Amino acid sequence: MTFTLVRATADDTAVVAELLTARATWLAERGFAQWSKKDPARDTSATIAAGETWLLLDEARRTVGTITLSTRADHDFWSRSERSVPALYTSKIATGLEYAGQGLGQLLLHAGFMYARRRGLSVLRWDVWRTNQSLQTYYQSLGARLLRVVEVPGRSSGALFEWRAMDRAVWQAGSPGLVTIDAPEGEIQLLGSVTEHTVVRAGADACDRLQPTRADHVHTTVDLSTAASTQAVTVSPTDTSPSILFHAGDAWRLDGARVSGPLLDNLQPGLVYRIAHKGVPGDCHVVLLGEQVDAAWAPRPYVEAL
């Protein structure tokens, strides 16, 4: 049996709410009031609209589970330094009760981690009810690290887990190969960018490179600046991977640094975006990579300054 992870749409609201309600009832029967104080339909509509809710489908395209993935951290639990690290936070993990014992909960976590890695994130985090020791033990058996347990007035959760590296035995079992992640991403050219030359130092000497190469210039995205000043953000063509742009729940960040600008008005907080250099000198530019991007909008016209 193989599975597919797909992003939920508004038409899936009832299906997701039913999964969460059934799991909340199952937990209540075992003495845990998790999710029982919320309206699953209302909460589900919000996370689906934000693009954060996913469905796990089997080969017959039946929904067998759901998971919510977001870059926004819960400030009650995660520290400022933790929030500055690009990461995905998972919640509302539920599988159909009729599929109990098939390892689908574990499969959902694996799929979430695989999605994170494909988007350039190496950390998956989640919080668990403090009193649910059996669930905490289960996550630890999967190789998840229990970072700490915090108590927040009015909150029952607080056991904080993190996955940076999966349990080797689980990977060897081939679990990740059972899931296909259907998550196509869009790409738009960041037209509001300027190419600048830099000075390259060779020993004690400094010289200007007159001809542009992949190593001697950066792009300045004029529609994105650091939050602490008006300094524009630069993207170097020598980067081996794109810069991660994400909303940590308090502010937009680029590789951890707070940023601001009109570019962000068109993005969906909670989803992962990346800014990268593309092309070769003479035809190079900066692109925004991510899901739910609208190619119809674009910042100012592209200008290359020599």
Side-chain angles (χ1 to χ4, degrees):
M1 177 75 73
T2 57
F3 302 85
T4 305
L5 188 72
V6 300
R7 180 174 272 109
T9 68
D11 292 339
D12 301 312
T13 301
V15 173
V16 176
E18 183 178 350
L19 282 170
L20 295 176
T21 299
R23 183 57 62 177
T25 301
W26 183 88
L27 288 167
E29 292 171 350
R30 287 154 180 78
F32 301 103
Q34 187 171 340
W35 299 336
S36 62
K37 297 181 180 180
K38 297 183 178 181
D39 180 354
R42 183 188 63 190
D43 292 345
T44 297
S45 296
T47 56
I48 287 179
E52 299 171 358
T53 296
W54 297 78
L55 301 177
L56 187 66
L57 309 180
D58 65 10
E59 293 176 337
R61 306 298 289 182
R62 294 173 298 193
T63 300
V64 298
T66 183
I67 187 172
T68 295
L69 301 168
S70 175
T71 63
R72 293 180 290 182
D74 190 324
H75 289 203
D76 282 350
F77 301 138
W78 303 97
S79 68
R80 180 178 300 178
S81 61
E82 287 170 331
R83 298 196 303 270
S84 68
V85 176
L88 270 188
Y89 297 83
T90 181
S91 62
K92 299 177 183 175
I93 302 174
T95 59
L97 299 179
E98 64 271 32
Y99 303 106
Q102 298 185 24
L104 296 183
Q106 174 180 314
L107 200 62
L108 276 169
L109 276 177
H110 289 176
F113 190 76
M114 291 161 58
Y115 171 78
R117 293 299 299 270
R118 292 185 183 183
R119 292 295 179 262
L121 307 180
S122 60
V123 182
L124 184 71
R125 294 173 175 152
W126 63 96
D127 59 89
V128 179
W129 273 44
R130 299 190 305 271
T131 56
N132 197 334
Q133 294 295 331
S134 61
L135 187 57
Q136 294 178 34
T137 300
Y138 167 71
Y139 285 139
Q140 288 176 300
S141 72
L142 299 182
R145 177 186 175 192
L146 176 59
L147 298 178
R148 61 187 178 277
V149 178
V150 297
E151 293 192 22
V152 178
R155 303 292 299 273
S156 298
S157 191
L160 306 185
F161 282 86
E162 182 178 271
W163 237 350
R164 284 185 180 267
M166 301 281 255
D167 179 42
R168 182 174 302 176
V170 174
W171 282 107
Q172 292 175 343
S175 177
L178 299 177
V179 182
T180 298
I181 300 177
D182 184 7
E185 64 177 2
E187 172 185 312
I188 63 170
Q189 181 172 329
L190 288 184
L191 301 180
S193 62
V194 178
T195 301
E196 298 178 349
H197 293 291
T198 61
V199 174
V200 179
R201 293 188 177 274
D205 299 325
C207 61
D208 279 320
R209 296 278 184 89
L210 298 180
Q211 299 298 322
T213 69
R214 285 186 60 83
D216 72 358
H217 74 275
V218 296
H219 283 275
T220 300
T221 58
V222 297
D223 286 292
L224 195 64
S225 61
T226 57
S229 68
T230 58
Q231 181 180 0
V233 171
T234 58
V235 179
S236 171
T238 59
D239 285 348
T240 57
S241 62
S243 295
I244 305 299
L245 177 64
F246 67 103
H247 198 290
D250 56 348
W252 282 98
R253 297 176 182 269
L254 186 66
D255 292 334
R258 293 168 64 105
V259 293
S260 60
L263 166 67
L264 305 173
D265 295 338
N266 300 280
L267 305 183
Q268 178 68 61
L271 302 188
V272 185
Y273 299 94
R274 292 169 290 167
I275 296 178
H277 180 272
K278 186 176 183 180
V280 295
D283 189 31
C284 62
H285 52 280
V286 179
V287 295
L288 175 72
L289 305 170
E291 293 158 287
Q292 295 191 353
V293 295
D294 184 359
W297 69 266
R300 290 184 283 276
Y302 178 79
V303 178
E304 184 166 322
L306 298 178

